[in-house]
């Protein structure tokens, strides 16, 4: 149906073989592949960090809040412009989500200033999102959280391999939460990783992932344990061996794929230079290595987004929106969310164009041509 899809998997026979090998091995639940996936993911982040593979980033975020003892009566500051998982997990532990606005129309991340404006005596944690794979300004955010004794969680769903001042995203806060959902930079279908530098928090992650058990099914299979104790209550947020095997292959491809993404974004920017009707955020990058998860643009107020999406569709170009404002969802209409003018405005004018590492320059050209035509440029 589409000439250029929003996203395409970066898969070949390596992924097929990896899954086949697992299925043929006779061990499909969390085991040695998952342990290797965790070890190699820690290496990606610089080595010292503890990585716990889980079933999704939503699971990782939920576990983070549980481990940090965030509960009813607490406030958690989250970006106003983000995926619904961030607000949902806060509400699922009974805490109150408070929205921090974007820095500006050029930089859509939250900052120490926009977070600080929302801090009260009830604030217990901040969740930052490295939007579209562009790292937040972490130095000031870390200092703010330390000064106010607030826990810091990094939602790195868009940012595997991204760096701020040469240090990996996912290593700055108490926890880092990664997503390996289909359309992510590293995709396994459904999966995630919970990272931390703290040994106690790493142990908590292991307990919350698997019923608070002190030994795994694998340990019993290997004869290393006869039974297990339950150290505390927990959940089943485990990954399985098929997904970890996919993750290992995808991890090997990640660096190159992220470079491809950068080249494609640079091409987009070049082809779209001087075209009126929209602006491109995150063009000024300082101290960061971005990983270009998506390519968002901001339409001018005069442009009708729905009609533009329709015109692109006629040309076979798929586009998307990141993200609708929380206040416009039925579930959050009447919960008293604070306003965030920049994010709310961006939410009405944002458009995401296709981007994936195997995209060709010709495909970028097709998208740009269609966009120019639709804008009458
Ligand atoms: C910013 C952000 N946070 C969290 C998530 C949730 O990830 P998952 O689907 O792995 O639970 C996503 C997924 O789209 C996301 O984009």
């Amino acid at each position: 149906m589409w000439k250029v899809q929003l996203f395409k998997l970066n898969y070949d026979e390596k992924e097929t073989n990896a899954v086949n090998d697992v299925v043929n091995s006779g061990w499909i639940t969390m085991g040695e592949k998952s342990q290797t996936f965790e070890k190699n993911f820690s290496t990606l982040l610089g080595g010292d960090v503890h990585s716990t593979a889980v079933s999704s980033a939503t699971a990782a975020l939920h576990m983070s809040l549980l481990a940090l003892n965030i509960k009813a009566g607490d406030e958690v500051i989250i970006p106003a412009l983000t995926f619904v998982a961030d607000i949902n997990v806060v509400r699922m532990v009974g805490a109150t989500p408070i929205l921090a606005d974007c820095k500006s129309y050029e930089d859509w991340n939250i900052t120490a200033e926009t977070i600080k404006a929302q801090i009260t005596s009830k604030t217990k944690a901040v969740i930052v999102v490295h939007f579209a794979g562009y790292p937040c300004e972490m130095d000031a955010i870390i200092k703010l959280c330390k000064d106010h004794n607030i826990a810091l969680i990094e939602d790195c769903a868009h940012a595997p391999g991204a760096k701020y001042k040469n240090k990996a995203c996912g290593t700055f806060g108490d926890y880092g939460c990664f997503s390996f959902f289909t359309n992510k930079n590293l995709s396994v279908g459904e999966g995630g990783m919970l990272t931390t530098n703290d040994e106690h928090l790493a142990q908590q992650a292991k307990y919350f992932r698997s019923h608070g058990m002190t030994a795994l099914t694998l340990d019993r299979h290997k004869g290393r344990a006869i039974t297990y104790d339950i150290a505390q209550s927990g959940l089943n947020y485990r990954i399985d061996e098929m997904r970890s095997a996919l993750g290992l292959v995808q991890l090997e491809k990640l660096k190159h794929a992220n470079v491809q993404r950068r080249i494609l974004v640079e091409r987009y920017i070049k082809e779209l230079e001087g075209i009126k009707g929209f602006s491109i955020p995150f063009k000024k990058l300082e101290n960061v290595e971005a990983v270009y998860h998506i390519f968002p643009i901001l339409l001018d107020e005069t442009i009708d987004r729905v009609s533009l999406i329709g015109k692109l569709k006629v040309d076979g170009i798929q586009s998307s929106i990141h993200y609708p404002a929380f206040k416009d969802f039925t579930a959050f209409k009447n919960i008293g969310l604070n306003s965030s003018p920049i994010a709310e405005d961006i939410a009405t004018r944002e458009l995401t164009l296709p981007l994936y590492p195997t995209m060709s320059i010709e495909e970028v050209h097709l998208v740009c041509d269609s966009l120019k035509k639709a804008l009458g440029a």
Side-chain angles (χ1 to χ4, degrees), residues 56-58 61 82-83 85-86 129 155 157-158 179-181 184 191 323:
S56 68
T58 306
L61 288 160
T82 184
F83 183 60
D86 294 306
V129 174
D155 176 341
H158 298 184
S179 173
F180 308 137
F181 179 64
K184 295 298 185 286
Y323 292 94

Side-chain angles (χ1 to χ4, degrees), residues 5-17:
Q5 286 177 208
L6 190 67
F7 171 79
K8 263 191 195 167
L9 279 177
N10 182 15
Y11 272 30
D12 57 36
E13 71 287 348
K14 288 199 191 83
E15 280 81 3
T16 315
N17 293 341

Side-chain angles (χ1 to χ4, degrees), residues 7-309:
F7 171 79
K8 263 191 195 167
L9 279 177
N10 182 15
Y11 272 30
D12 57 36
E13 71 287 348
K14 288 199 191 83
E15 280 81 3
T16 315
N17 293 341
V19 171
N20 272 340
D21 287 351
V22 168
V23 173
N24 292 332
S25 78
W27 191 268
I28 57 174
T29 190
M30 200 175 70
E32 284 167 350
K33 287 269 178 228
S34 304
Q35 287 166 354
T36 311
F37 184 33
E38 290 172 344
K39 192 165 107 335
N40 292 6
F41 199 81
S42 292
T43 305
L44 171 79
L45 301 197
D48 288 340
V49 69
H50 305 271
S51 297
T52 302
V54 291
S55 52
S56 68
T58 306
L61 288 160
H62 189 203
M63 291 159 70
S64 303
L65 295 175
L66 293 171
L68 294 165
N69 197 26
I70 308 298
K71 51 187 186 314
D74 296 339
E75 290 179 356
V76 179
I77 298 175
I78 64 170
L81 191 71
T82 184
F83 183 60
V84 71
D86 294 306
I87 190 167
N88 274 342
V89 289
V90 172
R91 301 196 75 221
M92 292 307 288
V93 300
T96 305
I98 305 291
L99 308 182
D101 208 349
C102 306
K103 178 180 182 182
S104 67
Y105 287 102
E106 290 76 40
D107 180 343
W108 299 358
N109 279 325
I110 63 173
T111 65
E113 286 87 66
T114 67
I115 296 167
K116 194 173 179 191
Q118 303 304 334
I119 290 178
T120 71
S121 58
K122 291 182 184 165
T123 310
K124 290 286 156 22
V126 175
I127 302 178
V128 299
V129 174
H130 306 293
F131 192 95
Y134 298 97
C136 299
E137 292 166 7
M138 292 311 294
D139 279 352
I141 293 174
I142 291 165
K143 184 173 181 319
L144 180 75
C145 288
K146 280 209 176 110
D147 288 351
H148 291 262
N149 199 21
I150 296 169
L152 175 59
I153 299 167
E154 289 178 82
D155 176 341
C156 302
H158 298 184
K163 287 182 182 169
Y164 169 77
K165 294 198 173 164
N166 222 19
K167 188 168 161 10
C169 291
T171 65
F172 292 102
D174 294 285
Y175 280 118
C177 304
F178 292 83
S179 173
F180 308 137
F181 179 64
T182 308
N183 66 5
K184 295 298 185 286
N185 292 41
L186 189 164
S187 48
V188 307
E190 302 284 355
M193 195 71 78
L194 181 53
T195 59
T196 180
N197 299 313
D198 182 290
E199 247 167 65
H200 170 70
L201 292 182
Q203 181 62 67
Q204 287 292 301
K206 303 272 188 283
Y207 285 152
F208 278 115
R209 172 175 66 177
S210 195
H211 308 292
M213 283 181 176
T214 55
L216 301 174
T217 313
L218 181 75
D219 295 324
R220 298 197 292 284
H221 175 70
K222 292 275 178 188
R224 293 192 288 252
I226 297 169
T227 183
Y228 53 82
D229 188 20
I230 301 298
Q232 62 183 56
S233 289
L235 298 150
N236 175 2
Y237 278 169
R238 292 186 301 264
I239 197 163
D240 61 44
E241 290 289 89
M242 284 77 74
R243 292 186 174 96
S244 291
L246 290 171
L248 280 166
V249 178
Q250 287 276 291
L251 200 48
E252 273 180 28
K253 293 181 174 179
L254 184 68
K255 271 194 186 146
H256 178 68
N258 284 343
V259 170
Q260 287 306 113
R261 286 173 179 277
R262 176 173 55 74
I263 291 168
L264 292 162
V265 166
E266 283 169 0
R267 182 70 189 204
Y268 260 126
I269 291 173
K270 200 166 160 219
E271 283 217 23
L272 295 174
E273 208 179 320
I275 306 300
K276 292 204 167 47
F278 63 93
S279 60
I280 299 173
F282 298 108
K283 272 167 80 177
K284 218 169 106 207
L285 300 180
E286 274 167 18
N287 299 320
V288 301
E289 255 175 64
V291 293
Y292 309 91
H293 170 52
I294 51 174
F295 183 60
I297 63 172
L298 184 65
L299 302 175
D300 288 358
E301 279 157 15
T302 50
I303 306 293
D304 179 340
R305 180 166 65 177
V306 173
S307 145
L308 179 62
I309 290 171

